[in-house]
Amino acid sequence: MKLATSFYFILILVLVSRLASAETIQIDFTPDDSYSVEVAKIDIGDTIEWLPKNEGHNVEFLAGPNMNSLPKKSELNAFYSVTFSLPGVYLYHCTPHGNMGMLGLIVVENDFHNLEDIKEIELSRIAKSVLQRLIRIAQLKS
Ligand SMILES: [Cu+2]
């Protein structure tokens, strides 16, 4: 009983400290058909907000650590927000401009365990080369 109590106490401490340090990163849709932040490295519990500063864009997840439950696709021109709870790499694009290379990469907890799955996603030639660039940036940035 005593052990269980201290376990829950520690668990609550961990959760509270996580919440206290949870961050929100804002990413704009830009007039250049890109995301203002292409590579975001975050921790579990952090939130990313996409701001429709330019018209005609959205956020559609293509891959993530749990392929069976990716965040849902956002509406065009809409504010969108996702809080991340699983470590790994997430790839998203803009539905209308993904083929032109409007991609974004999110790495949660600097965990690249599913990078090979990300690399296997079918993309246009331009998007593929953008993805390679984003992966290099993500691996340099720590
Ligand atoms: Cu777009």
Side-chain angles (χ1 to χ4, degrees), residues 56-57 94 97 102:
H57 313 287
C94 169
H97 303 117
M102 187 167 175

Side-chain angles (χ1 to χ4, degrees), residues 2-116:
K2 199 162 181 255
L3 195 69
T5 312
S6 14
F7 172 76
Y8 285 116
F9 182 68
I10 288 165
L11 187 70
I12 287 165
L13 271 184
V14 167
L15 289 176
V16 166
S17 63
R18 278 251 156 106
L19 273 179
S21 64
E23 284 182 47
T24 300
I25 287 108
Q26 294 187 321
I27 300 179
D28 298 343
F29 301 159
T30 82
D32 310 318
D33 295 345
S34 68
Y35 299 105
S36 63
V37 177
E38 292 180 296
V39 178
K41 298 193 79 173
I42 62 173
D43 295 320
I44 284 177
D46 288 350
T47 299
I48 299 200
E49 293 179 349
W50 286 268
L51 310 178
K53 294 263 174 94
N54 184 259
E55 281 192 12
H57 313 287
N58 74 337
V59 173
E60 178 181 10
F61 279 83
L62 302 175
N66 181 355
M67 290 300 289
N68 298 320
S69 108
L70 292 175
K72 65 175 171 36
K73 177 163 119 180
S74 79
E75 299 291 323
L76 282 178
N77 309 318
F79 171 86
Y80 188 50
S81 161
V82 176
T83 300
F84 292 83
S85 55
L86 279 182
V89 186
Y90 293 77
L91 172 66
Y92 64 93
H93 76 173
C94 169
T95 314
H97 303 117
N99 284 345
M100 293 155 51
M102 187 167 175
L103 302 185
L105 204 65
I106 297 162
V107 185
V108 181
E109 300 286 347
N110 203 28
D111 182 330
F112 288 89
H113 78 273
N114 63 325
L115 187 61
E116 289 311 309

